[in-house]
Structures are given as C-alpha cells and as structure tokens.
Amino acid sequence: AQKVTQAQTEISVVEKEDVTLDCVYETRDTTYYLFWYKQPPSGELVFLIRRNSFDEQNEISGRYSWNFQKSTSSFNFTITASQVVDSAVYFCALGGNNRKLIWGLGTSLAVNP
Amino acid sequence: GAGVSQSPRYKVAKRGQDVALRCDPISGHVSLFWYQQALGQGPEFLTYFQNEAQLDKSGLPSDRFFAERPEGSVSTLKIQRTQQEDSAVYLCASSLGATTVYTQYFGPGTRLTVL
C-alpha cells in the first residue's frame, strides 16, 4: 500500500527563521514520483516540485530546497529565511504506477512577522 | 487558458438537491482528475479521465456521484441528492499525460456546503 506521512500538523515560526517540513512515504513501486504543493488561504494547490525515484540529488530553488533520501523514504522541504508570504498549508504527495496521487494530511505553516 | 478554472467557486445546496460542478482544464491537457478535499485533510482521488474516457472512477464515494467529459475538454462533476457529508472542496486538476510522470495542475476548487 502507498502512504504519505506528514507528522507535523502545524508549525509556527518567526520571519527569517529557517523551517523544515518533513515527509515520509511508503511504496512498493520501484518507479515513483514525489511532489510538494503549496495551498495558500485562497485554496488553490500550487505545484512546487516533482522528483522521480531515480534522482536523489537535492534541489534548490531560491529560498526553497528539497532533500530526498531513499534510504529513509523521506522527501523533506526546507524554507530558508522564511517570509510571511510562505504561510500556507504544504502537502507532500506520492505518485506510483497508477495515475493517482496519494497525499499527506498537510503541514500548516504560519510565519509571523 | 492560462490555468485550470472551476465554477462556481462556492455552492450552497439544500440537502437533497442536485449540483453540477464545472472544470475547464489547461488547453491541450489530456488527463483530468477530480479530487475531494475535506476540511483539514489532503485531497482524496475521485475519478480520472484520459481525453473523453473515464478510466478510473474508483474514488467516487457513491452512485450519487457522476462525472463526464464528453468532448475531452471541459468536465462536469454531478452530485445527486446531496447529503451533508458531501460538503467539501472539490478540486480539478489536469496534466499533459496519463501517468504521474506528468505534473498535475490544480484549479481553485469549488467549495460545496450542503445544509
């Protein structure tokens, strides 16, 4: 069975702090894809990154970085120097051999000024 | 269009009414997905289309839920005889291709409230 666990339900930080959102997944597929989406208060899910199971290189995009480790089945997301505009719910999702995405419950991030 | 659009953005229905939710995918996207998102939860898969063919409807919670995409573009999710437990945000997503190799892009959702 496929499963995504985001253990942190809510995180609150002060602006300019670094914050890491954890994502642990379970799958028996050998080829799979991992995603992070951002859901601001407006409700629309915004795509952030896709990573395939054969590429364990970490990725950095501006203040965002992702750490994919197959050995621990984790795909963690770090925001450096957080800003108020980063406040949102962040979802990690897993796609395997079928077409469905399996989603975590999300982590609600509040960045306070 | 620039992105996935959904209408209406908000819908209030009395229990027992039928509702129809519309999704306009990104132009040229082959695949279209419907998800249901309850408050404080992640999206739950409902159904999937490849062009006009509904290839997976395993997530539809009951036979009151029906989806169609007759011309392979716009899709409608219909809920008959709405119940209070149907209250949720209904999200539509589209992607270029058929598998999760392809990123799914989401619309703003329709928030359905059943009184």
Side-chain angles (χ1 to χ4, degrees), chain A residues 66-84:
Chain A
W66 290 270
N67 183 352
F68 176 32
Q69 292 194 344
K70 288 180 74 171
S71 61
T72 56
S73 297
S74 66
F75 186 44
N76 296 338
F77 172 31
T78 297
I79 302 174
T80 303
S82 59
Q83 299 177 2
V84 172

Side-chain angles (χ1 to χ4, degrees), chain A residues 6 37-46 89-91 103-107, chain B residues 6 21 34-46 65 77 85-92 106-112:
Chain A
Q6 294 180 255
Y37 284 84
K38 173 182 180 180
Q39 190 171 44
S42 61
E44 186 165 345
L45 280 162
V46 178
V89 180
Y90 291 85
F91 288 96
W103 298 77
L105 293 180
T107 297
Chain B
Q6 293 185 247
L21 313 179
W34 283 99
Y35 292 85
Q36 181 189 61
Q37 186 177 21
L39 190 63
Q41 304 290 314
E44 295 279 347
F45 171 84
L46 293 177
F65 286 71
L77 176 67
E85 60 262 29
D86 299 334
S87 295
V89 176
Y90 291 86
L91 296 165
C92 176
F106 285 80
T110 295
R111 183 177 297 278
L112 173 64

